[in-house]
Amino acid sequence: MQEIRDPFQIGKKQAEKNVKTMNNFINFFGPTMDAHRKIFAIELVKFFDPNPDSLSIVKIINFAKANLKKLTLETFKESNSQRLNIDELSKNYDGIKETDLNKCRELLFTNGLNLDEKRFTKGSLIGKLKKFRNQDLAHDQIKKKKVSLSAEEIEKLFKLAENILNLLSQKLNRNSWWHFSSEDSTKSQTKLIFEYLQRFEPYRLKEIKKNRKRKLHNYYTRRKPSRL
């Protein structure tokens, strides 16, 4: 939404055209942008929740650490014995090691989540996310401290979660591991919405003009004095 109205990214003419479209449907685009920002923040916090009962990245790391001895090639073969390509998968199987988990913990620590102390570093990226969730979304506190959580920071946190999950899944099942990113499809579909609205706009204005003429015609027809 921000990119599609940025003249430096898509050109001044197209950006102005897109801004005009958003203004024409402001009661849709305004709440939509705000809702997206909030839902992204709510769901992102779940990835980094250190609570042992939460199904988060932290839970996955802790579970893997507690079961490192079971993540062996033999266990992998046994669990996937029914798969046709088990021999090929076995050749590529790496398994998760302590160094992999340490790398995940380091990535989290660098961005503000200390797993050893189960706390968020004040002013860090993850810390800002949690604070924004707590005071603006979960509790709507009366006395708020402004938290500037930008779209770029939200995107960076998504990338962080993606990198950790891909690192672990790649180690467990390299052959079927694949990199997933919804960024391209999201951008193309958003552009399609604007394209449809802009193509529809001339017909919408024509319809409004037609309805206005009909209403005026009916109004003056009713006011016309009858002949004696």
Side-chain angles (χ1 to χ4, degrees), residues 42-224:
I42 290 172
E43 295 301 321
L44 266 174
V45 171
K46 295 178 183 179
F47 278 116
F48 309 111
D49 192 345
N51 189 309
D53 295 325
S54 298
L55 185 59
S56 64
I57 289 177
V58 180
K59 178 79 170 181
I60 295 173
I61 293 172
N62 290 338
F63 180 83
K65 184 177 181 180
N67 293 275
L68 272 179
K69 293 182 179 179
K70 297 179 181 179
L71 298 175
T72 62
L73 179 59
E74 289 71 24
T75 305
F76 176 78
K77 287 181 177 180
E78 184 181 343
S79 302
N80 294 274
S81 59
Q82 303 301 318
R83 300 176 70 171
L84 297 175
N85 58 340
I86 182 61
D87 291 335
E88 182 183 350
L89 290 173
S90 299
K91 290 178 183 178
N92 294 322
Y93 180 78
D94 282 342
I96 296 175
K97 301 178 179 63
E98 186 74 36
T99 52
D100 300 317
L101 298 180
N102 288 338
K103 186 174 181 179
C104 294
R105 295 168 69 90
E106 184 180 344
L107 285 170
L108 291 173
F109 182 81
T110 303
N111 288 277
L113 176 54
N114 188 325
L115 291 187
D116 294 327
E117 300 179 9
K118 295 182 179 179
R119 66 176 180 84
F120 299 92
T121 305
K122 187 177 180 181
S124 67
L125 204 55
I126 300 177
K128 285 173 65 177
L129 173 68
K130 185 175 182 291
K131 188 174 182 179
F132 174 73
R133 193 283 305 266
N134 286 350
Q135 72 173 15
D136 281 75
L137 305 180
H139 305 297
D140 198 18
Q141 296 176 357
I142 297 174
K143 294 182 179 180
K144 297 180 181 180
K145 293 182 179 179
K146 188 176 180 181
V147 181
S148 57
L149 191 64
S150 68
E152 290 75 19
E153 289 174 319
I154 290 176
E155 185 177 358
K156 187 176 180 180
L157 286 168
F158 268 116
K159 292 289 185 184
L160 172 63
E162 181 184 45
N163 289 338
I164 294 175
L165 291 174
N166 281 339
L167 187 153
L168 297 177
S169 62
Q170 182 185 18
K171 292 289 183 177
L172 292 174
N173 203 348
R174 181 183 295 272
N175 194 55
S176 62
W177 171 81
W178 57 296
H179 176 86
F180 175 76
S181 175
S182 62
E183 184 177 351
D184 293 337
S185 59
T186 300
K187 287 183 178 182
S188 62
Q189 289 177 20
T190 303
K191 288 178 181 178
L192 277 176
I193 291 174
F194 279 83
E195 184 180 333
Y196 289 154
L197 289 174
Q198 287 161 5
R199 286 185 177 185
F200 169 71
E201 185 67 2
Y203 299 98
R204 186 178 77 95
L205 294 176
K206 185 177 180 181
E207 189 70 25
I208 291 173
K209 187 176 180 180
K210 183 179 178 181
N211 289 336
R212 190 173 295 167
K213 281 186 176 181
R214 187 176 67 250
K215 288 180 180 179
L216 286 172
H217 174 75
N218 293 338
Y219 174 77
Y220 286 112
T221 300
R222 288 195 299 268
R223 287 178 58 86
K224 189 176 181 180

Side-chain angles (χ1 to χ4, degrees), residues 1-12 14-16 18-19 22 33 151-152 155 183-184 186-188 190-191 194:
M1 290 289 191
Q2 290 184 348
E3 182 178 315
I4 211 163
R5 56 185 181 177
D6 186 346
F8 296 103
Q9 296 194 55
I10 63 170
K12 183 179 178 181
Q14 187 61 49
E16 289 176 349
N18 291 338
V19 169
M22 293 184 75
M33 290 182 66
E152 290 75 19
E155 185 177 358
E183 184 177 351
D184 293 337
T186 300
K187 287 183 178 182
S188 62
T190 303
K191 288 178 181 178
F194 279 83

